[in-house]
Amino acid sequence: MCGIVGYIGANEIKSTLIEGLRDLEYRGYDSAGIAILEDNSIKSFKAVGKLINLEKRTKEFQSKGFGLGIGHTRWATHGKPTELNAHPHLGKFSYVVHNGIIENYQELKQSLQSNGIKFLSQTDTEVIVHLFEKNYKEFNDPMIAFEKTVQSLKGAYAILLISKVDPQKIYFAKSGSPMIVGTNKNNEIFFGSSDAVLIGKANEVIYLEDEEYGYASSEGIKLFKDQKEIGLNKKPLVGDKLSAQKGGYRFFMEKEIYEQSEVVVDTILGRVLDDKIKFDELDISFLDDIEDIKICACGTSYHAGLSGTYLFERVAKIRCDIEIASEFRYKEPLLNKNTLFIVITQSGETADTLEALKMAKRAGLKTLAICNVDNSSIVRLADYTLLTRAGIEKGVASTKAFATQSMVLWMLALYIASHKNTISKELLKSEIEAIRHIPSVLVVNDKLHEKIKRLSKRYLHGHGFFFIGRDIFFPLALEGALKLKEISYLHAEGYPAGEMKHGPIALADSELFTIALMPKTLLYDKIKSNVEELSARDATILAISPIEFELADDFIKTNYSNHPMSEFFEMMVITQLLALEISVRLDNDVDMPRNLAKSVTVE
Ligand code: F6R
């Protein structure tokens, strides 16, 4: 959801900002803009659409020598994706970029307008710059003006502001939206709404906390909270730029599908011993009084969590339910102190999941985050975290995050089962063997990929897709349908196979495509009957199974396997590739599908 960059230093500022925005473009790509302050004058450029348009527009411009700048890539919340609504927003002598939502912008705007201030955009962000300038006129001190501005804002924000009245500084503030400041030995300072921007540039970073604000100049960074200066909590930044590049694949999504086999090795590394599951991050006594588990998440992470609920109850014999975070927040849930509250999130910044976690903490529950991004807001808030170790995920349609989340949940179910003595030594050993087999299950077979490429041409029309499965294959069906709709823009639903006859089967005809997940190891006969019922109504069936199925119009044969999770991961790859190839044939933008953004930091 939007991306922010900032830079102070002697490097060419335009290209430094655009390079940073490129790392963030997957987060929002409705429009982009930059503002550069050098020699006491500000140059600003904006363009609608992808970053390439901004690059074209700024082709002739180059900064000279030391200076500073801010940049933004937008995912529209207030106001259409037009040039006027693109950031940076300007007042008379200052520019601002902002990520998040200013909830009280209407009242602030009305009060500013009644003072004769004219607005150019429909955004909530523009109030920030006008408020700053109004406060500056009143107090004649940029820091006081910025502090007063921040104090007036309600909602979520990460802000960078530059002004001709203080041309050596970038002012910053954070509350509810991520913001990271990085430094290096060349006396450069970088800002980013994700550390992806800073990798390879900064060697020390400060992950700003909520309500912190301050300014940076070539003389250093000053940080404040509640009007008092506070110390800088610098951390070394590790990471490697290469992992954030496409490496020969057509799309990040494709690269990330192919990477799953390797990243899952990282997920299980050091955690799966011959006879037990070990999480150094957890203190086992943490589980002592736990009576049940509640999981909260959004989107793909919710689907991983839903498959987890089956595993927790079946293997660990512990009651478990799951809620979509945006629903949980407002339903006034009754919470029990002995519930373990698990949030699952790739980014660690999803606003609804973060709020759900805060609610659980306020109610005194023990909390655990399953997350991919260390130091993210959710990781910092939860009592404990299990990192999924998927590496940077750039494709907006999540793939390897789902694979690693599912793996962590499986390991956690076994870990809790051992703790509660609900699993025999023999069964635990065979589960561990099954886990160790998964990286090879996830290797993408070239022939299979070719087959899916060919087959995809038959699935470019029709009036809809039903992905159906039972048990843990139901969440996988939901996830398969979500992948397809996100990048193909075709209507797709995931459904529990046994539910079809309770209504949706009315839709069945030859133009209804059914993607049937038919594992051998779990309820094969049951799902077979469900698919037969659809076939009898002339639905077009694409069956994915290790067992030949004569009623299938198309058939993708999977390997014979003796563990449902093995079949789960193999079918997961197939549904991901199917969505990818359909999207490619429809000529859609696979990595940056319309209307979406990678990290949803607004409600
Ligand atoms: C789908 C997708 C989204 C996210 C959802 C939650 O491909 O990526 O549905 O899963 O927005 O995001 P996180 O996991 O970052 O909390």
Side-chain angles (χ1 to χ4, degrees):
M1 193 120 309
C2 302
I4 288 187
V5 296
Y7 174 69
I8 302 178
N11 235 334
E12 206 286 305
I13 300 166
K14 174 196 79 181
S15 42
T16 309
L17 293 176
I18 288 187
E19 200 182 311
L21 290 178
R22 199 171 296 120
D23 285 330
L24 294 178
E25 194 185 10
Y26 67 108
R27 289 178 175 245
Y29 32 83
D30 292 337
S31 56
I34 54 174
I36 293 171
L37 208 169
E38 48 172 14
D39 300 333
N40 216 7
S41 90
I42 301 183
K43 295 258 169 3
S44 169
F45 306 87
K46 299 179 186 191
V48 171
K50 301 250 166 82
L51 191 59
I52 183 87
N53 299 342
L54 182 67
E55 286 183 77
K56 283 186 194 146
R57 184 153 292 179
T58 52
K59 219 160 107 207
E60 308 299 326
F61 176 81
Q62 267 215 326
S63 69
K64 296 167 220 72
F66 190 85
L68 50 86
I70 55 178
H72 188 268
T73 169
R74 177 168 187 249
W75 187 81
T77 52
H78 291 85
K80 290 205 162 87
T82 60
E83 209 165 299
L84 276 181
N85 287 335
H87 302 215
H89 288 285
L90 82 153
K92 288 205 159 40
F93 45 85
S94 320
Y95 281 76
V96 72
V97 292
H98 158 232
N99 184 10
I101 288 188
I102 305 300
E103 284 167 1
N104 59 338
Y105 86 101
Q106 293 283 22
E107 350 165 354
L108 294 171
K109 189 168 175 173
Q110 274 159 18
S111 131
L112 288 160
Q113 281 171 329
S114 64
N115 280 312
I117 292 168
K118 297 238 167 347
F119 279 72
L120 296 175
S121 76
Q122 298 150 319
T123 65
D124 50 339
T125 302
E126 199 182 337
V127 295
I128 303 171
V129 73
H130 295 307
L131 206 54
F132 170 79
E133 294 192 347
K134 177 179 160 284
N135 288 334
Y136 179 73
K137 278 187 198 140
E138 198 174 328
F139 298 97
N140 203 23
D141 178 323
M143 180 58 191
I144 296 176
F146 188 70
E147 199 166 63
K148 298 259 177 233
T149 303
V150 172
Q151 281 163 3
S152 315
L153 304 177
K154 292 206 180 96
Y157 51 81
I159 298 168
L160 295 181
L161 180 141
I162 57 175
S163 178
K164 280 204 242 174
V165 295
D166 202 358
Q168 308 299 326
K169 293 184 186 131
I170 294 183
Y171 286 87
F172 59 84
K174 180 223 182 289
S175 183
S177 291
M179 171 72 83
I180 301 144
V181 196
T183 55
N184 66 17
K185 297 197 174 76
N186 303 332
N187 212 17
E188 290 175 296
I189 299 181
F190 300 88
F191 290 88
S193 47
S194 149
D195 54 11
V197 181
L198 309 179
I199 293 173
K201 298 199 173 97
N203 37 31
E204 282 191 319
V205 287
I206 304 156
Y207 293 90
L208 296 181
E209 297 291 344
D210 283 350
E211 326 305 338
E212 290 182 353
Y213 59 94
Y215 59 82
S217 70
S218 59
E219 269 142 47
I221 300 161
K222 294 274 181 200
L223 191 60
F224 298 83
K225 187 164 189 169
D226 298 330
Q227 290 158 279
K228 286 191 197 80
E229 188 170 348
I230 55 171
L232 305 177
N233 181 9
K234 287 196 178 183
K235 296 188 171 172
L237 180 66
V238 282
D240 130 41
K241 204 80 190 167
L242 265 184
S243 64
Q245 289 165 4
K246 269 189 224 157
Y249 290 95
R250 294 170 297 169
F251 310 100
F252 280 114
M253 182 186 179
E254 186 178 37
K255 173 182 173 249
E256 288 158 4
I257 293 172
Y258 273 74
E259 250 170 29
Q260 293 179 114
S261 164
E262 288 161 38
V263 295
V264 157
V265 172
D266 290 338
T267 309
I268 63 181
L269 197 76
R271 291 167 165 173
V272 178
L273 310 186
D274 288 344
D275 54 354
K276 67 170 180 185
I277 305 288
K278 179 166 88 78
F279 286 116
D280 288 336
E281 308 88 322
L282 296 184
D283 173 355
I284 191 91
S285 63
F286 170 68
L287 295 171
D288 281 351
D289 311 319
I290 297 300
E291 287 165 6
D292 58 6
I293 296 176
K294 185 178 278 296
I295 305 178
C296 224
C298 304
T300 289
S301 299
Y302 170 81
H303 297 154
L306 188 55
S307 67
T309 60
Y310 290 82
L311 301 178
F312 285 123
E313 297 215 343
R314 183 169 294 142
V315 184
K317 307 285 178 233
I318 183 160
R319 267 196 315 277
C320 178
D321 65 14
I322 181 159
E323 309 227 21
I324 289 179
S326 54
E327 287 299 309
F328 176 80
R329 284 179 67 177
Y330 298 104
K331 69 182 283 200
E332 299 178 26
L334 298 178
L335 298 173
N336 164 11
K337 284 217 164 58
N338 292 335
T339 298
L340 171 62
F341 193 81
I342 302 182
V343 285
I344 307 175
T345 167
Q346 188 286 127
S347 60
E349 302 294 348
T350 302
D352 286 319
T353 312
L354 180 59
E355 281 310 311
L357 175 61
K358 287 182 187 163
M359 281 169 65
K361 289 210 77 163
R362 277 197 296 273
L365 273 64
K366 291 184 180 169
T367 59
L368 170 67
I370 296 179
C371 185
N372 193 33
V373 181
D374 199 3
N375 284 307
S376 56
S377 306
I378 287 178
V379 167
R380 281 179 278 145
L381 191 66
D383 297 332
Y384 290 93
T385 295
L386 295 175
L387 290 175
T388 49
R389 307 177 181 163
I392 294 175
E393 187 181 63
K394 285 206 137 184
V396 165
S398 184
T399 52
K400 61 177 180 167
F402 178 76
T404 53
Q405 289 166 345
S406 304
M407 181 53 96
V408 168
L409 286 160
W410 183 11
M411 291 190 293
L412 185 61
L414 295 171
Y415 179 84
I416 297 177
S418 309
H419 180 63
K420 290 180 77 238
N421 270 325
T422 59
I423 189 166
S424 68
K425 282 203 169 94
E426 295 69 41
L427 182 56
L428 181 59
K429 270 194 150 175
S430 77
E431 289 289 300
I432 284 176
E433 259 170 49
I435 289 181
R436 288 182 168 159
H437 180 57
I438 299 303
S440 63
V441 170
L442 288 169
V443 173
V444 180
N445 174 312
D446 287 345
K447 275 201 186 132
L448 172 79
H449 193 165
E450 268 315 307
K451 174 166 182 160
I452 294 173
K453 250 185 214 165
R454 264 185 291 117
L455 190 136
S456 60
K457 63 175 172 286
R458 297 168 62 165
Y459 294 93
L460 308 177
H461 60 287
H463 60 69
F465 287 75
F466 267 89
F467 285 68
I468 58 169
R470 300 185 73 127
D471 205 281
I472 51 170
F473 294 86
F474 160 50
L476 188 60
L478 289 172
E479 176 57 11
L482 179 64
K483 286 299 80 101
L484 185 65
K485 70 183 126 195
E486 281 182 294
I487 58 173
S488 72
Y489 319 141
L490 296 170
H491 180 74
E493 282 189 58
Y495 235 79
E499 264 300 287
M500 290 299 282
K501 57 176 148 320
H502 297 288
I505 202 165
L507 292 168
D509 64 17
S510 59
E511 294 291 284
L512 178 81
F513 300 138
T514 302
I515 316 294
L517 307 179
M518 304 173 70
K520 178 184 69 112
T521 51
L522 204 56
L523 302 172
Y524 178 78
D525 291 336
K526 301 283 174 204
I527 176 122
K528 185 164 171 264
S529 311
N530 300 141
V531 183
E532 281 164 357
E533 287 153 13
L534 278 154
S535 169
R537 273 97 189 155
D538 212 21
T540 298
I541 313 283
L542 164 56
I544 305 174
S545 179
I547 303 173
E548 297 286 347
F549 181 60
E550 58 187 22
L551 297 177
D553 298 277
D554 277 313
F555 182 66
I556 298 179
K557 191 168 174 22
T558 51
N559 292 310
Y560 265 96
S561 154
N562 58 4
H563 199 289
M565 287 305 283
S566 218
E567 297 203 87
F568 177 94
F569 281 110
E570 191 176 355
M571 291 187 186
M572 175 199 76
V573 173
I574 292 169
T575 55
Q576 293 168 341
L577 290 172
L578 183 67
L580 172 80
E581 293 306 336
I582 291 177
S583 170
V584 173
R585 282 195 186 266
L586 292 171
D587 213 15
N588 293 343
D589 189 333
V590 171
D591 285 331
M592 295 186 208
R594 71 183 184 204
N595 303 338
L596 299 181
K598 185 68 188 164
S599 163
V600 186
T601 50
V602 293
E603 209 184 320

